[in-house]
Amino acid sequence: MNVIWRTVLTIWRAKLQLRRHGTLEPTAIGRVRVRTLPTDIDILGHMNNGRYGSLFDLGRFDLLVRTGIWDVFREKGWYAVVANETITFRKSLELWQRFTVESRLLGHDDKSAYLMHRAVVDGEVYAEMIVRARFLRRTGGLVPHEELFGALHRPDNLPELAPWVTQWAAASALPSTRMPAPSLWK
C-alpha cells in the first residue's frame, strides 16, 4: 500500500517541478530520491528484489510528468504498459538507505519504447533495469509512434537503440496475445 502513497507524492512533486522549471527533454535523465522502508525489506534484511520494479515505477511516473507526456496521455486516453523488463543487481540496498532512482528513455523501435532505470547510491549503480513499454489506447489498440510524437509536438530525436537492446527484446519476447502460448516445459 505504501507504494501508492509514494506514487501520489512522486506525481505531485513532478508536477511542481514541471510548473517551476518547465518540461524536460525526452532524452533527459529523471531523478527521484527514495529511502528503503521497512515494507521494502525481505527476510534477509535488504530490499526485496520484487520491490525494485515498483520503486522504479516512481522514476517512470516522474519522467512522464516532467516531459509533458503524462498530460498528453490523459487527454488522449492513452497509457503505457510494460511488455518486458530485466533487472541486474550489483549491491544490496539496506533498511533506511537513501538512494536515487535514475530514469532515462533509451530509444524506440517500431512498436515499443525502451527505458533504463537505475538505483544509485553516491553515484554508484546498485541495480539496473531495462524496460520495454508499449503505448495503448483505452478504446483498444496500439498508439503508433508517428501519432505519439505528433501529439507531443516533438521530433523523434531519441538515439538509435544499441544492438544489444534489440537482441534482448527479440530473445525475451513471448508470442503475441493472438497466438497460443501453452505452458510446455522441455
Side-chain angles (χ1 to χ4, degrees), residues 42-178:
D42 65 17
I43 198 163
L44 299 174
H46 59 250
M47 188 151 82
N48 181 288
N49 62 303
R51 184 62 89 180
Y52 282 85
S54 296
L55 295 180
F56 286 159
D57 280 349
L58 301 178
R60 199 158 39 254
F61 284 121
D62 174 74
L63 202 59
L64 286 171
V65 170
R66 294 179 61 211
T67 56
I69 296 171
W70 179 268
D71 289 335
V72 171
F73 276 25
R74 290 188 55 192
E75 175 187 311
K76 300 276 189 185
W78 298 343
Y79 62 100
V81 294
V82 172
N84 52 338
E85 62 190 13
T86 298
I87 187 165
T88 303
F89 302 99
R90 233 184 116 248
K91 286 187 171 184
S92 294
L93 290 167
E94 306 299 329
L95 181 61
W96 304 118
Q97 189 168 10
R98 290 185 64 86
F99 64 99
T100 302
V101 173
E102 294 183 348
S103 303
R104 180 174 177 227
L105 283 165
L106 292 179
H108 67 87
D109 59 21
D110 58 332
K111 293 181 183 176
S112 305
Y114 296 81
L115 298 97
M116 181 73 74
H117 298 289
R118 292 178 175 165
V120 178
V121 177
D122 296 327
E124 184 179 5
V125 176
Y126 275 47
E128 184 174 80
M129 175 186 274
I130 184 168
V131 175
R132 182 172 71 93
R134 299 181 85 181
F135 304 103
L136 305 175
R137 302 175 195 278
R138 295 216 180 273
T139 56
L142 286 173
V143 178
H145 286 306
E146 302 79 37
E147 189 175 349
L148 175 69
F149 293 128
L152 295 173
H153 307 293
R154 292 201 175 113
D156 176 11
N157 63 351
L158 293 174
E160 285 288 317
L161 284 174
W164 73 266
V165 175
T166 307
Q167 292 163 0
W168 164 78
S172 60
L174 289 173
S176 160
T177 56
R178 294 183 195 105

